[in-house]
Amino acid sequence: MTEPILSDEQELIRQYILLGILFRAVMADLGQMQTVPLKLSYQILFDELSRWAERQHHQLRRVLRQRGCTVVSSQRQGHVYVVLYRQHGYVREAIYTIEVLRAECHELVHLWTRYEQRGENR
């Protein structure tokens, strides 16, 4: 079985959704961590990761708009995440598996952490 070929806009939509999910997940995790007293404060790490994901998310939205593409709606439906987007006047649907998005978010956090350690994100 071969994978479908994704257009540039479809890949940008996927990254846009992924970064939006990451931003919201980091904020939710930070909120939960603040209810439990910890020996160390990880808030600065969460704040930096959240800001980075949010900046990337907004940057991708601008790029998509310049290419005539906007996200109309996105929502979780059971085990999938359904996204409707308008591309050059046509409404299209993209469906992503929650487990895959979660794994990709973990990978993004890992990559961000490595870049931060090297000081490349500044």
Side-chain angles (χ1 to χ4, degrees):
M1 176 192 285
T2 61
E3 291 185 25
I5 298 173
L6 296 177
S7 72
D8 288 342
E9 286 86 5
Q10 288 170 320
E11 178 59 23
L12 290 173
I13 290 284
R14 189 184 69 74
Q15 288 292 320
Y16 172 80
I17 295 302
L18 187 60
L19 287 162
I21 290 171
L22 177 60
F23 164 68
R24 289 188 302 276
V26 169
M27 294 308 294
D29 287 349
L30 178 60
Q32 286 185 340
M33 282 182 58
Q34 290 175 339
T35 63
V36 177
L38 302 173
K39 302 279 187 216
L40 298 172
S41 173
Y42 299 96
Q43 183 170 356
I44 193 164
L45 177 67
F46 279 77
D47 287 341
E48 288 179 20
L49 176 57
S50 173
R51 278 194 296 271
W52 173 80
E54 186 177 22
R55 274 193 311 271
Q56 297 299 314
H57 180 74
H58 290 299
Q59 181 180 357
L60 280 174
R61 181 174 44 202
R62 280 191 298 277
V63 169
L64 285 165
R65 283 184 181 163
Q66 290 171 353
R67 293 182 176 204
C69 191
T70 56
V71 173
V72 176
S73 70
S74 58
Q75 65 181 10
R76 183 176 181 160
Q77 294 180 1
H79 299 292
V80 296
Y81 200 77
V82 179
V83 179
L84 295 178
Y85 62 98
R86 186 178 319 278
Q87 184 180 25
H88 307 294
Y90 295 96
V91 175
R92 302 180 189 279
E93 181 179 69
I95 300 174
Y96 305 101
T97 306
I98 297 295
E99 293 86 25
V100 172
L101 290 174
R102 184 174 290 128
E104 289 176 332
C105 279
H106 284 285
E107 184 61 25
L108 273 178
V109 170
H110 179 72
L111 290 172
W112 177 83
T113 303
R114 283 196 299 173
Y115 290 132
E116 275 295 305
Q117 288 173 345
R118 290 187 199 157
E120 294 178 14
N121 229 12
R122 294 182 173 108

